[in-house]
Amino acid sequence: MLNHRIAVYGPSISQNALDKLIAGLPNMNISVENNQETVLKKLAAMRYGADAVVFANEDVTRYIIRREALSGLRPLATIQPLTYLYGFPLKSVKPGMVADFNQALNALCHDGTLPRLARRYNVRMAACK
């Protein structure tokens, strides 16, 4: 019978999602590491075994692979696309602050600044509004 090794950074949202995804599946061995860099470096060095996989945030993973010049790694599947959000603490938001922020963010998107930053860090960006 096959043993499946999945490595993940944890404790993290990724680890929580993985636990839910594989709940009840037999023969799943999870390796939890304290940072994403360790997970990817060990995978690239085949320290989890030749058939192991990593469960991780795709954007963060692409960035680390590029930054650390790791080779031999490729994405297998997207479980669920991520949407990044921002928030403001209610106690410190002044009238008009969120609207001003959104207007500035929109301007940066349309003038090419945000797409340029997204490419630099290899992050997929939502369309400009």
Side-chain angles (χ1 to χ4, degrees):
M1 189 166 274
L2 291 175
N3 260 342
H4 302 283
R5 169 73 56 200
I6 303 175
V8 65
Y9 157 63
S12 66
I13 293 172
S14 292
Q15 183 185 5
N16 294 342
L18 176 61
D19 289 344
K20 290 176 186 173
L21 188 65
I22 65 167
L25 295 176
N27 302 315
M28 303 303 289
N29 293 310
I30 308 301
S31 292
V32 180
E33 304 289 352
N34 66 2
N35 64 65
Q36 190 65 30
E37 291 84 356
T38 299
V39 172
L40 294 170
K41 287 177 181 181
K42 283 185 173 184
L43 182 68
M46 290 200 260
R47 289 186 48 202
Y48 300 119
D51 295 325
V53 296
V54 164
F55 188 82
N57 175 305
E58 190 175 349
D59 291 324
V60 173
T61 299
R62 276 196 316 272
Y63 171 74
I64 293 170
I65 288 171
R66 185 172 136 201
R67 185 188 72 202
E68 299 294 327
L70 299 174
S71 62
L73 302 180
R74 63 180 174 83
L76 294 177
T78 298
I79 305 300
Q80 178 179 350
L82 290 176
T83 301
Y84 296 100
L85 305 172
Y86 59 87
F88 293 90
L90 292 175
K91 291 181 180 179
S92 64
V93 176
K94 295 175 178 35
M97 180 185 254
V98 173
D100 290 346
F101 179 86
N102 286 334
Q103 184 179 7
L105 193 63
N106 191 43
L108 291 170
C109 190
H110 286 286
D111 77 7
T113 301
L114 285 181
R116 191 169 43 258
L117 286 170
R119 279 191 305 276
R120 178 178 175 190
Y121 294 100
N122 204 19
V123 173
R124 287 172 291 153
M125 194 181 120
C128 296
K129 292 186 178 187

